[in-house]
Amino acid sequence: MDRTDWLLTPAERGNPATRLDRRRPGGIAWSEGNHARPVVHGAAYFAELLARIRAQRPGDLLLFTDWRGDPDERLGPHGPTGHRTEIGTVLCAAAARGVTVKGLVWRSHLDRIHFSETENRHLGEEIEEAGGECLLDMRVRPGGSHHQKLVVLRHPGRPELDIAYVGGIDLCRGRNDDARHDGDPQAVPMAAAYGPHPPWHDVQLALRGPVVGDVEAVFRERWDDPAPLSRSPLTRLRELVHHEDTHADTMPPQQPDPEPCGTHTVQLLRTYPNRLFQGYDFAPDGERSIARGYLKALRRARALIYLEDQYLWSPRVVASFAWALRTNPRLRLIAVIPTVPEQDGRLTLPMNLIGRIKALEGLRRAGGPRVAVYGLENHAGTPVYVHAKVCVIDDVWASVGSDNINLRSWTHDSELSCAVLDEAGDPRPPLDPAGLGDGARGFARRLRLELALEHLDRAAGADPAAEEALCDPVTAFGAFAACAAALDAWHAAGCRGPRPPGRLRGYHPPPLSAPERVLATPLHRLLVDPDGRPFRLRRRNAF
């Protein structure tokens, strides 16, 4: 397998200012010899993160970025001896015992428009008081956010313990859910359909090997950016009033990358917007390598695109998936998305729906019955909010990150994703689903099957033959359809008799009236899914 068939070269990344592509001899734009492990669900991620942070010693390094951080969110149950597990307490304890703790959290918009300004500020204040440093970063486009979610744990002298986490899970309320999908006891308000404790489905990657140094370099580029944390006079006044730390202290030098430890090649893909007047020092024109990475991988899609996405909207983004479906008549697409948007107000619901309706119309025009879109529910019948950002193409290329399938993630907000290629193949048939000679790869296939087994209510390893059958794209497509059809029919019949196994429901967006479409479309483009590209790229719908 030629990695350049799937991964971006430095020239294709389109950002010569970044240090990412200068870290290795020859300008290699990815790292080899890694071990990437999917951590499905916030409860599993939080428990692992808690144990690893508590194991850090004086002189170790803890770096994190977040979209939202709630200092009172518990990473696990409190210990019997009074050990508390709130994220703020855990990070402060690490700083107090001599761990170097550095954080970058999006400053956020005002709480009264359903964002997290106060929570993010409180998390930063707690860490600063304990001896760490956490900056509130508003170096974004107007209406934009820092959406990257990463944690890096380094251990000078013990590099075998070094690990990084990248994905969709914030260190905040609402995320601490597991495979039962009963929701986080510490909930965040959402659409009424999700109930008082919204069920939450999410995925993070645990990364070991040289890629840990790449993730650290992403953090350091933002930390070392000389631009002020905000250009807003009002924000800078609030910084003065609250005595906020607005200057990044010098960090200790970066340690050498950990030694290779696996078969996974990992390329970090990012989005940074084109900021007006003063760009990023490390991305003066922005960076759209997430979009470019998808576009390159989609050109090789032949058998199955498997998506889990929070949004899946924006016709201008989905056009690349539609092109792949039109070009390859045996290509299928499975998408797992939230049944209901997170906001259900009279204005916000149509604003959120209109982009998805138009995107799905385009996909179905291109692929017809080869396009299948599903929502999830738990065994009580409550919808599960899908927050995962996962794409698997032909069991070869897999992507897990913070980015969604929309213009905001591809152009406007800061995002971080990992594209993974496994040197090890998967021995189960079909050996080469796409027929291009790449062969099914171990990581991508295992990731897709792990997610599929959960949604189908099948225990891993319980029926090896049935599990192996899901390796075939056509069989997997049919299994999802049959599962959703049975559950939909059970609900339509009044839920009489035993509930069929599975969590999949066919997705059918509610209709919008003509006036709702007319009103919602410009609001969606302006507020919900803005475009962060330079005008020269917008005119050509290029990235």
Side-chain angles (χ1 to χ4, degrees), residues 97-426:
R97 65 177 180 268
V99 177
T100 300
V101 177
K102 304 287 185 183
L104 287 167
V105 180
W106 177 47
R107 169 171 283 280
S108 183
H109 304 308
L110 299 177
D111 290 326
R112 62 175 175 268
I113 52 176
H114 303 289
F115 285 99
S116 52
E117 179 191 37
T118 301
E119 291 83 358
N120 291 1
R121 178 163 53 83
H122 286 172
L123 178 62
E125 290 171 347
E126 289 190 11
I127 293 171
E128 296 270 349
E129 289 173 3
E133 189 174 14
C134 183
L135 305 181
L136 298 179
D137 191 351
M138 201 61 175
R139 290 172 289 200
V140 296
R141 284 178 67 96
S145 76
H146 281 301
H147 200 241
Q148 296 174 341
K149 308 149 200 312
L150 69 86
V151 176
V152 178
L153 305 177
R154 300 297 304 267
H155 309 79
R158 299 175 294 152
E160 69 279 1
L161 299 179
D162 290 351
I163 193 167
Y165 297 94
V166 174
I169 305 179
D170 297 283
L171 302 176
C172 71
R173 291 186 170 207
R175 274 55 169 177
N176 198 346
D177 199 3
D178 58 24
R180 295 188 303 272
H181 289 310
D182 294 328
D184 187 339
Q186 296 176 276
V188 291
M190 291 180 62
Y194 293 105
H197 300 285
W200 195 275
H201 174 70
D202 222 330
V203 180
Q204 200 86 348
L205 275 189
L207 300 165
R208 299 182 65 187
V211 69
V212 173
D214 291 344
V215 181
E216 181 177 346
V218 170
F219 179 92
R220 286 176 178 266
E221 281 190 332
R222 282 182 55 187
W223 186 264
D224 296 338
D225 189 350
L229 293 175
S230 175
R231 296 185 298 209
S232 164
L234 181 60
T235 297
R236 301 186 80 162
L237 178 61
R238 289 204 300 269
E239 292 171 346
L240 290 172
V241 170
H242 293 294
H243 306 288
E244 293 178 14
D245 182 1
T246 59
H247 299 285
D249 291 347
T250 302
M251 289 179 57
Q254 182 163 345
Q255 296 289 309
D257 291 349
E259 290 295 317
C261 61
T263 61
H264 301 151
T265 296
V266 182
Q267 181 169 59
L268 298 188
L269 304 174
R270 306 182 299 182
T271 299
Y272 290 110
N274 174 250
R275 292 186 75 203
L276 303 177
F277 309 119
Q278 184 178 2
Y280 299 102
D281 181 62
F282 53 87
D285 196 36
E287 181 176 319
R288 292 162 293 280
S289 56
I290 287 175
R292 293 179 176 204
Y294 265 97
L295 293 174
K296 186 167 187 176
L298 285 168
R299 288 197 288 269
R300 294 185 70 81
R302 297 295 186 275
L304 178 65
I305 301 170
Y306 179 82
L307 287 173
E308 292 191 1
D309 198 75
Q310 182 183 4
Y311 295 130
L312 188 59
W313 58 39
S314 179
R316 286 168 288 180
V317 168
V318 170
S320 55
F321 293 84
W323 173 88
L325 287 162
R326 284 193 304 270
T327 305
N328 303 283
R330 69 183 184 93
L331 177 63
R332 290 169 170 81
L333 184 147
I334 295 174
V336 180
I337 62 176
T339 303
V340 181
E342 60 190 292
Q343 298 178 358
D344 58 357
R346 291 183 61 186
L347 184 59
T348 56
L349 181 61
M351 283 169 50
N352 281 274
L353 282 175
I354 188 64
R356 177 176 293 164
I357 290 172
K358 292 183 176 180
L360 294 185
E361 288 172 348
L363 286 175
R364 287 175 169 141
R365 280 195 303 269
R370 294 179 288 122
V371 174
V373 184
Y374 302 101
L376 297 177
E377 69 174 28
N378 64 15
H379 288 169
T382 305
V384 175
Y385 191 73
V386 178
H387 193 258
K389 300 95 168 55
V390 175
C391 180
V392 179
I393 297 179
D394 292 344
D395 287 352
V396 177
W397 183 91
S399 172
V400 178
S402 67
D403 55 299
N404 295 295
I405 306 297
N406 61 3
L407 265 180
R408 179 180 282 278
S409 280
W410 280 24
T411 71
H412 194 274
D413 293 357
S414 74
E415 305 281 6
L416 178 64
S417 184
C418 298
V420 182
L421 293 178
D422 195 343
E423 289 298 302
D426 187 281

Side-chain angles (χ1 to χ4, degrees), residues 454-519:
E454 178 184 319
H455 303 332
L456 295 168
D457 262 349
R458 302 181 187 178
D463 188 343
E467 187 171 332
E468 182 172 311
L470 293 175
C471 294
D472 178 65
V474 177
T475 302
F477 193 87
F480 269 58
C483 177
L487 197 50
D488 289 345
W490 182 75
H491 278 282
C495 304
R496 291 193 297 269
R499 182 185 183 278
R503 293 119 179 267
L504 294 161
R505 300 292 307 277
Y507 178 76
H508 306 284
L512 293 180
S513 67
E516 285 177 321
R517 283 181 172 244
V518 170
L519 178 62

